[in-house]
Amino acid sequence: MIGAAPVAAVFFDGHTAQRHPVFVTVSRDGRGLMIDAQGPGGTPMLWPLDRLRSLADQARSDSLTLTLHSDTEDETPRDPARLVIEDPALQAWLRLSAPSLKKRDVRRGTATRILGRFALAVVSIGIIVFVLLPRMSDFLANRMPLETEIQFGDAVVNQMERFLGGRAGSLLCTDPQGNAALDRLVTRLTEGQEMAYDLKVSVLDHPMVNAFAAPGGRVVILRGLLDKSDTPGEVAAVLAHEIGHVEARDPTRLMLRAAGSAGIVSIVLGDVSGGTVIGILGDQLLQTSYTRAAEAQADAFAMAMLNRAAISSEGFGAFFDKLAEMDQIEIPEYFSSHPSSADRAERAKENARNQGVTKPALSEADWAALKTVCAP
Amino acid sequence: MSLNSGGIVRYSGQSGPIFKLAFVTGLLTLITAGIYRFWAKTRMRKYIWSSVSIDGDAFEYTGTGLEKLLGFLIAIVFLAVYLAGVQLILTFLGLGVMMQPGNELAIIASVYISFFAIVPFLLFAVYRARRYKLARTRLRGIRFGMDNAAWGYAWRAIGHYLLTGITLGALLPRQTFYLEKYMTDRSYYGDAKFEQGGRWQGLYAALKHVLIGLAIMILGAIVGGVMNAEALIGIAVFVGYFWFMIGFVYYRVHAYAYLANHKTLDGQVTFTATPSTAEIIKIVLVGGIVLGVVAAIAFGVLGGVVYGMAASGGMGMGMGPNIAQIVPIVILYLLILIGLGALGVVMITHPIIGHLATNLKVNNAEALGAVRQRAYDKGADAEGFADALDIGGAI
């Protein structure tokens, strides 16, 4: 094309919407395009071939729109001027001769920018989940009306049953003698104390070794825990621990936090309707990940409760010993967030040595009845 | 030097390249677990924009996939904070996640509140998405643009929706007119400002077939009720409903035409839009039927393959289907979905854009030559909110 006749083209200067008819020739050294106004006046422009870029994904194959690589502030580093060439021969020559015609120019530091933005997103969500939400949950938990909490607790227990593979109410162990024995144990533990909630303790028929506190004064024991316990003192200890959580409003706090996290997950997964919210809540519940501080507090509360009720904390120790054994085989998620079982067993035994005269937590008959509370 | 050229709008999009582009970008989106969708949208827009030209000068789309991804990240964080707060407060009020039976009211209430809490952001996103699209559109090297006024739009839109709802739709033309006017009056081509003229009452003519459909349903029900003829009620409701739906398309097409015909740019350039409702309905119906038939055949064949594999004993008696058999079926299934999506663009979106473009004329187009460039709009979050809330479709 060097030395060929000037080719008519259209030039847009990037400053006005004026259409400039121009003549384009290849520069004498073959390394650029000379753009010359048709008609009188104007100085010719030189567009170097190596800075030429064509627009991508264009519909029209009969024309070629060129831009110039340039360090502008725009979304892409391109000069706002455009040169539209319809001449097939010049198009063909440019496609062969302009080395970076199809190059996508990426600004320096783009990768850093992407990483930075990703990091910022992750960090902000982390701050929300781990700092903001817990604070707000604490604030709101202390102000929640009691009826709402009770309603909430019922919903949580129902949901838990569904998670354990039953329908709402279907897993509840209903043996009257067993439940009476359980009530006596609760009375024994709470006697003469001012409780914030009317406690409602129930047993669900499931082999998992677990117990959890739900909002509004509900405590649920899973049958596996009764099976695993050798003395009523062990059950009394776990019960006292869960009552500790109830009194500290830990479950309500956790619920609020889970609901907030679920809101976040729903947007990240692109489901704004809130369907995911329910799913996540159940999962969070099974894990009942209270903070270590909350666990230690519940332990201290349980110890004091046992002391007042004159029940030996030996049972507490024995139960933790069992957990420590289980730790080596499998770590149930529920217990994984708790302080090390061995440490807790040690503390319970220490407490037991300083206890005065203690009485068994339940009579032989009541203990037998509690053990079979889920028997049909 | 300007030619007195008459402002003819042409559309040069072609089905083959569009299908190829939509299919390839759809495939890349799948492979990258959705991340490529920002680039997919960008490339589709580049193609469609460049297909439309005024007097031979094609539009140019200059948006980038990267800025869309980054904007999406911002929007996600923002919405996450907001939704976390909403859920927390709902739960505090005892509405949050009441999943026990007998508490359906609370569940419904919480779903509605969650939704309405999002509405302002949806409307905000609508405006932002349009502003971003305009800011990344160029003609003859000159940028379009729009003022930063998304919240004003969101609040006005909520007000209009409420008013339209309260009046059972009687003020729909008012809503359509003022919302479009709000956006148009804030739009620019270079330094030239768009202006929406006309009156909102002018849109009632476009609403006529919706009203006829309603009248047929109501009159049919009354007359049929008096005469105790159930068949008459049935026919009237069927015909009326059909008329109503078609009437709604008619409304949208004619409202668009009315609004376009009453827009001016810089007080000099005007537009003449003459779209045909029949043509648009034909495109949608034919496209819908073709899509349906293709989908039926494709999934039918796929179902036959699965059945054949099961019957030939590969998944027989007690043996679970093995991975080697499932993977190709899942891949085939996804390929069909991507193909159908691309076909939808080719059969519906592309012909409608083509129809609207070719039936638009720019009057006094030579005045465009005097327009000067406007400053670059950084548009910090691109259309991130629209992407995060999943509105706006493929293009």
Side-chain angles (χ1 to χ4, degrees):
Chain A
M1 288 297 289
I2 305 170
V7 169
V10 177
F11 180 74
F12 299 107
D13 56 28
H15 301 295
T16 70
Q18 189 69 253
R19 186 195 285 115
H20 304 284
V22 289
F23 286 121
V24 178
T25 44
V26 177
S27 68
R28 231 169 267 135
D29 59 3
R31 282 157 70 179
L33 289 182
M34 295 300 293
I35 304 166
D36 212 345
Q38 288 180 19
T43 43
M45 268 179 302
L46 176 71
W47 275 21
L49 285 195
D50 59 347
R51 280 175 62 201
L52 289 186
R53 303 288 184 270
S54 65
L55 300 185
D57 295 309
Q58 297 293 292
R60 289 167 61 182
S61 48
D62 58 344
S63 79
L64 183 68
T65 305
L66 296 177
T67 80
L68 209 53
H69 173 59
S70 166
D71 199 20
T72 58
E73 288 293 300
D74 282 21
E75 55 272 24
T76 34
R78 302 266 172 90
D79 191 279
R82 299 288 183 266
L83 179 65
V84 184
I85 294 168
E86 308 228 324
D87 181 71
L90 183 57
Q91 282 183 44
W93 184 82
L94 280 168
R95 284 184 212 281
L96 279 175
S97 318
S100 313
L101 204 58
K102 290 191 167 176
K103 192 175 169 207
R104 300 251 182 97
D105 302 291
V106 178
R107 278 207 186 82
R108 197 177 296 222
T110 298
T112 326
R113 230 174 104 222
I114 300 173
L115 286 177
R117 202 65 80 82
F118 260 107
L120 199 67
V122 171
V123 168
S124 333
I125 291 192
I127 288 174
I128 301 159
V129 172
F130 297 110
V131 181
L132 229 57
L133 270 182
R135 297 246 166 113
M136 278 176 77
S137 306
D138 289 353
F139 179 83
L140 291 176
N142 293 330
R143 283 158 187 80
M144 201 173 209
L146 189 62
E147 301 94 88
T148 314
E149 257 187 291
I150 290 171
Q151 234 185 355
F152 211 176
D154 292 344
V156 163
V157 174
N158 286 344
Q159 180 69 3
M160 180 58 80
E161 280 186 82
R162 255 168 256 148
F163 253 79
L164 295 175
R167 279 173 295 106
S170 68
L171 295 180
L172 202 66
C173 298
T174 51
D175 179 61
Q177 265 117 35
N179 277 305
L182 191 57
D183 286 345
R184 271 193 281 283
L185 183 56
V186 174
T187 313
R188 168 101 189 266
L189 283 169
T190 56
E191 207 150 40
Q193 290 175 61
E194 194 70 35
M195 304 298 288
Y197 297 94
D198 282 335
L199 289 174
K200 190 172 164 197
V201 182
S202 32
V203 181
L204 293 184
D205 191 4
H206 194 273
M208 195 189 281
V209 184
N210 208 340
F212 59 88
R218 289 205 67 165
V219 175
V220 173
I221 297 171
L222 299 187
R223 195 201 69 226
L225 190 130
L226 295 179
D227 294 346
K228 193 87 184 167
S229 303
D230 294 318
T231 67
E234 293 175 30
V235 178
V238 172
L239 201 52
H241 175 86
E242 294 306 334
I243 293 172
H245 281 310
V246 165
E247 287 294 302
R249 296 195 161 204
D250 288 338
T252 309
R253 238 182 279 274
L254 185 75
M255 282 304 86
L256 285 167
R257 218 173 67 200
S261 320
I264 293 175
V265 174
S266 70
I267 188 69
V268 174
L269 294 182
D271 164 33
V272 200
S273 66
T276 30
V277 174
I278 293 170
I280 288 167
L281 212 71
D283 185 56
Q284 282 263 337
L285 261 174
L286 266 177
Q287 302 195 20
T288 47
S289 45
Y290 300 121
T291 59
R292 269 164 181 268
E295 291 300 342
Q297 219 178 339
D299 274 359
F301 181 94
M303 229 73 88
M305 191 171 231
L306 292 175
N307 291 347
R308 222 172 294 132
I311 297 174
S312 168
S313 60
E314 200 67 56
F316 214 175
F319 192 77
F320 285 130
D321 277 340
K322 277 177 200 156
L323 283 181
E325 265 167 52
M326 283 170 68
D327 272 356
Q328 285 156 12
I329 312 158
E330 44 160 351
I331 306 164
E333 281 175 50
Y334 163 68
F335 295 109
S336 62
S337 73
H338 288 54
S340 143
S341 297
D343 287 357
R344 299 170 76 188
E346 197 44 58
R347 229 166 290 144
K349 285 175 196 158
E350 172 80 38
N351 179 68
R353 277 195 283 279
N354 299 329
Q355 276 178 313
V357 185
T358 56
K359 287 176 283 179
L362 281 177
S363 67
E364 289 289 330
D366 273 351
W367 176 230
L370 181 56
K371 279 282 224 184
T372 56
V373 68
C374 295
Chain B
M1 273 200 290
S2 66
L3 306 160
N4 195 351
S5 45
I8 305 295
V9 181
R10 283 213 166 71
Y11 181 73
S12 56
Q14 286 173 312
S15 302
I18 290 183
F19 183 83
K20 198 177 142 206
L21 189 60
F23 191 81
V24 169
T25 54
L27 207 60
L28 287 168
T29 301
L30 175 72
I31 293 168
T32 56
I35 293 182
Y36 193 78
R37 71 176 183 276
F38 305 107
W39 283 266
K41 205 183 255 186
T42 303
R43 294 184 61 187
M44 287 299 291
R45 282 186 193 167
K46 276 185 192 292
Y47 184 92
I48 298 278
W49 263 236
S50 71
S51 318
V52 181
S53 60
I54 301 177
D55 294 335
D57 301 331
F59 282 85
E60 180 186 344
Y61 180 73
T62 59
T64 68
L66 181 65
E67 66 186 2
K68 290 187 186 68
L69 170 68
L70 296 180
F72 174 75
L73 286 178
I74 295 179
I76 278 281
V77 170
F78 197 86
L79 288 171
V81 178
Y82 178 69
L83 282 181
V86 168
Q87 287 298 337
L88 205 62
I89 287 169
L90 278 177
T91 306
F92 175 71
L93 296 176
L95 292 171
V97 212
M98 292 284 104
M99 47 284 195
Q100 79 228 71
N103 217 336
E104 279 79 12
L105 207 68
I107 296 173
I108 292 168
S110 77
V111 168
Y112 270 94
I113 294 173
S114 306
F115 174 71
F116 282 116
I118 280 293
V119 166
F121 284 99
L122 282 171
L123 295 164
F124 173 82
V126 166
Y127 186 96
R128 288 292 279 224
R130 177 139 149 189
R131 177 178 156 213
Y132 171 70
K133 255 185 256 184
L134 275 183
R136 295 294 180 266
T137 300
R138 297 189 197 187
L139 178 68
R140 299 177 171 187
I142 299 298
R143 300 181 185 94
F144 285 79
M146 207 162 161
D147 288 338
N148 183 5
W151 282 119
Y153 178 80
W155 305 134
R156 277 172 184 78
I158 289 172
H160 281 296
Y161 288 168
L162 288 176
L163 214 56
T164 302
I166 289 168
T167 57
L168 299 175
L171 287 183
L172 177 65
R174 193 172 181 275
Q175 170 191 317
T176 311
F177 181 82
Y178 280 115
L179 288 183
E180 179 59 29
K181 183 170 171 59
Y182 184 87
M183 297 221 252
T184 303
D185 290 353
R186 284 159 183 77
S187 302
Y188 301 84
Y189 171 56
D191 62 351
K193 191 172 177 298
F194 281 95
E195 213 145 319
Q196 181 65 61
R199 299 157 65 235
W200 64 271
Q201 293 90 339
L203 289 181
Y204 274 109
L207 204 60
K208 65 183 177 198
H209 286 290
V210 171
L211 297 175
I212 292 174
L214 274 178
I216 292 174
M217 280 194 273
I218 294 168
L219 278 178
I222 292 173
V223 173
V226 170
M227 286 167 59
N228 215 357
E230 275 179 30
L232 186 62
I233 300 177
I235 292 169
V237 167
F238 179 77
V239 171
Y241 183 72
F242 193 70
W243 204 302
F244 179 82
M245 296 311 286
I246 298 282
F248 210 75
V249 178
Y250 181 90
Y251 174 71
R252 288 193 56 183
V253 173
H254 282 259
Y256 154 79
Y258 179 88
L259 292 165
N261 292 336
H262 288 84
K263 280 183 174 68
T264 51
L265 177 61
D266 218 13
Q268 308 175 57
V269 179
T270 58
F271 306 87
T272 308
T274 48
S276 148
T277 309
E279 191 60 33
I280 300 257
I281 287 175
K282 199 180 102 195
I283 291 169
V284 173
L285 280 185
V286 171
I289 290 169
V290 169
L291 267 180
V293 169
V294 171
I297 293 172
F299 286 121
V301 169
L302 184 69
V305 170
V306 173
Y307 181 79
M309 282 163 78
S312 69
M315 298 178 184
M317 311 306 287
M319 300 220 338
N322 66 49
I323 296 292
Q325 287 167 327
I326 292 180
V327 168
I329 289 174
V330 171
I331 290 175
L332 217 56
Y333 175 77
L334 292 172
L335 284 181
I336 292 174
L337 280 188
I338 294 171
L340 287 175
L343 197 60
V345 174
V346 169
M347 295 298 301
I348 298 174
T349 319
H350 146 71
I352 287 180
I353 294 173
H355 178 78
L356 293 182
T358 45
N359 287 287
L360 183 71
K361 197 174 165 299
V362 182
N363 307 310
N364 192 22
E366 52 271 36
L368 291 178
V371 172
R372 302 188 65 80
Q373 184 66 289
R374 64 184 289 103
Y376 163 63
D377 177 355
K378 210 160 161 281
D381 60 78
E383 50 190 7
F385 280 89
D387 283 326
L389 296 169
D390 202 17
I391 52 174
I395 297 161

